[in-house]
């Protein structure tokens, strides 16, 4: 406005202002939304923790029934090395299971797209494995598998591999039909077709599956730890929770639970970041629009 | 990689391929194409024109080797290799995850040639289609017309004996379409390419081609061939000439015949 020629701005000022008010309102709404996006969850958390603390203090609830947030944090600090050691054990199982799930899921998906008969033969069993609750399979696994670590991995893998398999299979099949024709015309080999067309086409689908699988691998690892019990030196967070439960050490149960949740969030965020980095140049889901 | 292909007059050009009595019947006894015969000579710009269901796209897919004739044969003079064809589809059909230059690289890449080995050729072709500064762009950053140019560059890059185009500009706006038609003729003049062009536009076919194959539906078949002997390069002057109008009229009449109608002349 300051730059406008005074002669013209006199006549048009009413229109200018009307236009600017709308634009300003829009810009303000955008600004408010971008702050609210992270501020609101934080406020909700602060309020919840405060309410929790008040309820415990005002009602004199004993800490072996419901510890105050302050006591949970104190336990977290006090038991930090014990808990973080267990967290690393669980994290290791989770990440290994996720890795094997990626290899197994993508490998099977590639096999399925190379051979319709392989897909017809084995896909139903992948579904059966997926829909059967892991808690009901895990006890059997620990009967037949001697090695505890292998048993844990197997359980976490069973839970995690299906979304990767299902999504990657869908992605491999979703390659543009004209591009497939083009590959035929240029006489691309099966391997070239896979490498240059099908795998890149499947990448967004695969990454979607991977994000789901990351959370599921953690769930699988924790469930398997519960079933496997507290035996052994290197026990994960689930074993810590069980152990603390036997001793009525409720604050430690909360602290361990907090760590599991934090780990789940961290895995999800890391995989979302990976997905964003791989797709930001070209895929609609990751590309920022200006308007 | 330069070409010394010169466009000789019709009738003196060496043959590239011929379709001999080609029939294509789909499952359920749908006759897509009956008794199609066509000789394609070097330097030809052939349009396949007709109503939908006349088998023009089927003919193109047969020539591309994407399907085989039920009876009859398609014979390439001197045999056929993977480098003989360039194809442009109705959609740009680019790989969204690859840059413009990487998309144009594809035909070379499938033959095992590294990017750096063919970098100069890729840049040359991108310059030919007017995209010299867009090699590093991703397809989503380009307009519809520019994407189509990339698609054309990919078809041209290996300097194939025959370029197949399946209604390549049908989805573009009229202004972009005319510009691309002009540029396509210029490219053809520069490279001496041989083109088979499927279209449903009379005016596009007359402007672009020296041979128009008019086809009819049910069953798909060729009913007439029209020769447009106006010399290349053709520009706005040809588009507004009586010669163009006469050819457009003749082609429209043939098309009406193909649709089983009588054309009314006013």
């Amino acid at each position: 406005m300051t730059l406008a020629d005074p002669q013209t701005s006199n006549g048009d000022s009413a229109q200018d202002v009307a236009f600017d008010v709308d634009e300003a309102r829009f810009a303000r709404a955008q600004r408010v939304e971008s702050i609210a996006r992270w501020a609101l969850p934080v406020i909700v958390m602060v309020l919840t923790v405060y309410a929790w603390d008040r309820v415990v203090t005002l009602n004199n609830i004993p800490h072996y029934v419901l510890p105050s947030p302050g006591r949970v944090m104190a336990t977290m600090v006090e038991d930090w090395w014990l808990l973080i050691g267990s967290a690393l054990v669980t994290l290791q199982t989770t990440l290994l299971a996720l890795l094997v799930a990626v290899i197994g899921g993508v490998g099977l998906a590639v096999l399925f797209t190379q051979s319709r008969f392989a897909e017809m033969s084995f896909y139903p069993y992948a579904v059966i494995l997926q829909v059967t609750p892991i808690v009901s399979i895990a006890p059997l696994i620990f009967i037949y598998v001697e090695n505890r670590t292998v048993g844990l991995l197997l359980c976490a893998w069973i839970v995690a591999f299906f979304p990767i398999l299902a999504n990657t299979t869908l992605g491999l099949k979703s390659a543009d039909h004209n591009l497939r024709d083009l590959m035929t015309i240029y006489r691309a080999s099966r391997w070239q077709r896979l490498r240059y067309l099908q795998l890149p086409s499947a990448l967004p689908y695969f990454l979607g599956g991977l994000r789901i699988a990351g959370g599921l691998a953690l769930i699988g690892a924790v469930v398997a730890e519960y079933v496997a019990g507290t035996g052994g030196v290197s026990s994960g967070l689930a074993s810590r929770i069980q152990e603390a439960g036997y001793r009525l050490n409720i604050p430690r149960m909360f602290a361990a639970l907090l760590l599991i949740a934090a780990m789940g969030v961290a895995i999800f965020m890391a995989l979302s970041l990976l997905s964003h980095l791989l797709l930001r140049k070209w895929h609609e889901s990751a590309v920022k629009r200006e308007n | 990689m330069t070409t010394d292909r010169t466009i000789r007059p019709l009738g003196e050009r060496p043959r590239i391929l011929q379709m001999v009595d080609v029939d294509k019947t789909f499952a359920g006894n749908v006759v897509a194409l009956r008794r199609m015969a066509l000789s394609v000579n070097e330097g030809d710009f052939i349009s396949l024109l007709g109503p939908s269901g006349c088998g023009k796209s089927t003919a193109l897919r047969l020539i591309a080797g994407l399907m085989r004739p039920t009876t009859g044969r398609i014979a390439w003079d001197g045999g056929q290799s993977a480098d003989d064809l360039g194809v442009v589809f109705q959609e740009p059909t680019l790989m969204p995850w690859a840059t413009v230059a990487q998309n144009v690289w594809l035909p070379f890449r499938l033959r095992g040639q590294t990017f750096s080995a063919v970098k100069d050729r890729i840049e040359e072709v991108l310059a030919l289609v007017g995209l010299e500064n867009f090699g590093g762009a991703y397809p989503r950053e380009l307009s519809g017309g520019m994407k189509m140019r990339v698609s054309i560059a990919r078809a041209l890059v290996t300097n194939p004996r025959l370029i197949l185009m399946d209604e390549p500009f049908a989805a573009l706006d009229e202004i972009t379409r005319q510009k691309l038609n002009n540029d396509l003729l210029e490219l053809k003049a520069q490279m001496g390419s041989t083109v088979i062009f499927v279209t449903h536009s009379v005016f596009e076919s007359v402007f672009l081609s020296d041979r128009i194959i008019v086809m009819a539906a049910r069953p798909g078949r060729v009913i007439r061939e029209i020769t447009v002997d106006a010399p290349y390069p053709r520009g706005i002057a040809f588009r507004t000439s009586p010669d163009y109008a006469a050819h457009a009229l003749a082609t429209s009449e043939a098309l009406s015949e193909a649709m089983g109608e009588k054309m009314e002349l006013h």
Side-chain angles (χ1 to χ4, degrees), chain A residues 27-69:
Chain A
R28 198 172 335 113
Q30 289 236 304
R31 227 170 19 245
V32 167
E33 195 173 310
S34 73
I35 295 170
R37 199 176 297 279
W38 59 266
L40 284 180
V42 170
I43 290 170
V44 167
M45 179 150 84
V46 168
L47 288 179
T48 310
V49 170
Y50 180 73
W52 171 10
D53 184 65
R54 286 298 87 196
V55 167
V56 171
T57 314
L58 294 178
N59 295 308
N60 283 322
I61 298 175
H63 65 77
Y64 51 84
V65 175
L66 179 66
S68 70

Side-chain angles (χ1 to χ4, degrees), chain A residues 176-179 181-188 192 195-197 200-201 281-284 287-289, chain B residues 61 64 66 80-82 85-87 89 91 93-97 106-107 109-111 138 140 154-155:
Chain A
D176 182 271
H177 67 103
N178 280 335
L179 276 172
D181 282 350
L182 199 67
M183 291 285 173
T184 308
I185 288 166
Y186 287 131
R187 300 185 190 177
Q192 285 177 321
R195 166 78 185 77
Y196 299 140
L197 176 60
S201 300
K281 290 261 178 66
W282 63 275
H283 199 255
E284 285 295 335
V287 164
K288 257 212 170 114
R289 289 220 165 268
Chain B
R61 290 178 72 79
L66 291 171
Q80 196 209 351
S81 77
L85 279 172
V87 184
F89 297 96
E91 294 88 35
T93 312
L94 303 175
M95 303 178 289
W97 54 85
L106 181 74
R109 194 182 197 188
L110 293 174
R111 301 183 199 165
Y138 284 84
R140 55 164 295 278
R154 180 181 58 198

Side-chain angles (χ1 to χ4, degrees), chain B residues 61-239:
Chain B
R61 290 178 72 79
L62 284 165
I63 295 169
L66 291 171
M67 46 169 87
R68 267 185 280 182
T70 310
T71 57
R73 62 195 173 89
I74 296 171
W76 286 71
D77 286 50
Q80 196 209 351
S81 77
D83 319 339
D84 284 342
L85 279 172
V87 184
V88 180
F89 297 96
Q90 186 170 344
E91 294 88 35
T93 312
L94 303 175
M95 303 178 289
W97 54 85
T99 62
V100 165
Q102 285 167 345
N103 268 288
V104 177
W105 174 33
L106 181 74
F108 286 128
R109 194 182 197 188
L110 293 174
R111 301 183 199 165
Q113 280 172 286
T114 62
F115 185 81
S116 52
V118 290
K119 190 169 176 290
D120 292 343
R121 173 61 184 161
I122 290 168
E123 278 169 9
E124 187 188 345
V125 174
L126 283 178
L128 271 178
V129 297
L131 291 173
E132 47 271 86
N133 297 319
F134 289 91
Y138 284 84
R140 55 164 295 278
E141 300 167 317
L142 307 180
S143 68
M146 287 160 91
K147 281 185 209 164
M148 210 29 117
R149 285 168 189 277
V150 179
S151 196
I152 293 171
R154 180 181 58 198
L156 290 175
V157 76
T158 55
N159 208 4
R161 284 164 79 192
L162 179 60
I163 295 169
L164 305 177
M165 304 182 101
D166 191 0
E167 301 190 36
F169 309 142
L172 300 174
D173 62 90
E174 185 58 26
I175 296 168
T176 311
R177 177 194 256 243
Q178 281 209 14
K179 175 88 178 91
L180 279 170
N181 277 339
N182 289 336
D183 292 357
L184 181 60
L185 282 190
E186 206 159 294
L187 279 175
K188 180 199 148 45
Q190 278 184 40
M191 303 193 50
S193 318
T194 311
V195 183
I196 301 180
F197 191 98
V198 167
T199 181
H200 51 231
S201 159
V202 168
F203 303 100
E204 196 171 54
S205 67
V206 174
F207 180 65
L208 290 173
S209 33
D210 48 16
R211 295 169 62 194
I212 302 171
I213 312 290
V214 182
M215 300 177 74
R218 275 175 302 272
R221 65 198 185 278
V222 175
I223 59 159
R224 180 148 341 143
E225 173 165 347
I226 292 168
T227 305
V228 184
D229 44 17
Y232 295 97
R234 297 170 180 174
I236 186 78
F238 174 62
R239 222 189 257 279

